[in-house]
Amino acid sequence: MKKIIAISASNNPASINYDLLVAATNKLTRTDVQLITFTGLSLPLYSEATEKTEGIPVFIRELHRHFTIADGFMLASPEHN
């Protein structure tokens, strides 16, 4: 069984991108889908200085672990002007 990571990269709890991602993943068969959402997370932009002083956030380390074992990815991200 293929393992797919589906990421809703919006932090808006009413994101239509999340709804789109759920609809798309519901079409997949014989696939283990893990849905990850950024809602409620306050992630900093990457900074070597912050990484040196505060380390890598736990959520990011866990996300990396999931990425290393996935067979594929789906990403729904908002577009802003």
Side-chain angles (χ1 to χ4, degrees):
M1 182 179 299
K2 297 288 184 182
K3 181 169 181 59
I4 303 295
I5 304 294
I7 301 171
S8 175
S10 172
N11 62 0
N12 181 348
S15 171
I16 61 172
N17 290 289
Y18 173 81
D19 294 339
L20 174 65
L21 190 62
V22 169
T25 59
N26 284 338
K27 300 287 185 185
L28 299 175
T29 59
R30 296 185 308 264
T31 305
D32 176 21
V33 176
Q34 180 172 4
L35 183 60
I36 297 172
T37 180
F38 288 175
T39 303
L41 291 177
S42 179
L43 297 174
L45 292 175
Y46 177 74
S47 162
E48 285 185 58
T50 302
E51 183 178 329
K52 285 179 184 174
T53 60
E54 299 176 25
I56 299 172
V58 172
F59 173 78
I60 298 301
R61 284 184 284 165
E62 186 67 15
L63 188 61
H64 177 264
R65 186 182 69 76
H66 289 293
F67 280 7
T68 60
I69 61 175
D71 296 304
F73 304 93
M74 294 176 75
L75 178 65
S77 181
E79 183 177 312
H80 301 283
N81 334 347

